[in-house]
Amino acid sequence: MKGTVVSEVLTKYDNSKDRLVQILLDLQEESGQNYIPREWLEEVSQKLDTPLTKVYDVATFYAMYNLDPKGRYVIEVCKSAPCRSRKAETLAQSLEKLLSIKMGETTADGLFTLQHTSCFGACDISPAIKIGEKVYGNLNEDKLAEIIRAYREGQK
Ligand code: FES
């Protein structure tokens, strides 16, 4: 019999509390909506015999976790000063136009979420965006359109 998503992920990590960071990342991936449902956090807490507050502490400490549904690809636009001075806002507007959504929103097909973020260390190639763990820099409107097209076609 097939176990729950949570028990399958826990088994993969030998039900080890020390692997909580990775367990939560896997669960986020498994959700298909780039977030960790609250009931999954409760199940993790029970099955690892760890207080729910501790599981929440980890899930809210790292910016990479989401507790609400997001698009499959979260596009983060840096809004710190070096990127801002290099037209990051123009980039944000181009993205809004390309995706027909505003910052903070998710496309109707559930593919993209647009959000602002602070510096992620790519200042030397600003203006930059981050999609998941990938960083794209020295961007202009054409490069941006190409990146979005590739993600839409599943080439990334
Ligand atoms: S200021 Fe944008 S990545 Fe550092």
Side-chain angles (χ1 to χ4, degrees):
M1 196 179 92
K2 214 165 174 270
T4 64
V5 174
V6 173
S7 56
E8 280 174 17
V9 170
L10 290 179
T11 303
K12 184 172 155 195
Y13 294 100
D14 292 329
N15 289 287
S16 168
K17 295 175 189 178
D18 298 338
R19 309 297 303 277
L20 189 54
V21 168
Q22 192 57 48
I23 287 168
L24 295 183
L25 264 184
D26 277 29
L27 287 173
Q28 181 158 287
E29 174 80 31
E30 288 292 331
S31 75
Q33 287 179 288
N34 217 339
Y35 84 117
I36 313 167
R38 283 166 171 73
E39 58 271 23
W40 285 6
L41 293 176
E42 285 166 19
E43 196 176 334
V44 167
S45 155
Q46 284 163 13
K47 293 198 163 134
L48 288 185
D49 194 21
T50 302
L52 186 55
T53 49
K54 184 154 180 246
V55 178
Y56 265 97
D57 280 351
V58 175
T60 53
F61 180 78
Y62 297 102
M64 61 197 174
Y65 299 126
N66 304 307
L67 298 184
D68 295 305
K70 301 261 181 187
R72 178 150 161 232
Y73 305 112
V74 177
I75 304 177
E76 297 179 284
V77 182
C78 174
K79 65 173 168 63
S80 295
C83 275
R84 252 200 347 250
S85 68
R86 292 206 192 159
K87 306 219 181 323
E89 267 324 293
T90 314
L91 214 62
Q93 284 162 9
S94 303
L95 278 166
E96 288 181 335
K97 216 165 78 192
L98 276 168
L99 301 173
S100 305
I101 53 171
K102 295 281 173 209
M103 295 303 289
E105 293 180 351
T106 298
T107 53
D109 59 6
L111 211 48
F112 299 101
T113 294
L114 263 185
Q115 62 189 41
H116 278 300
T117 186
S118 48
C119 177
F120 45 78
C123 327
D124 54 331
I125 53 166
S126 66
I129 61 168
K130 220 173 135 194
I131 305 182
E133 289 311 305
K134 282 196 181 168
V135 171
Y136 301 90
N138 296 320
L139 292 170
N140 56 35
E141 209 160 322
D142 289 346
K143 282 188 193 168
L144 211 51
E146 178 58 28
I147 292 167
I148 296 299
R149 190 194 55 74
Y151 273 89
R152 276 203 176 116
E153 292 174 2
Q155 293 169 7
K156 291 281 181 182

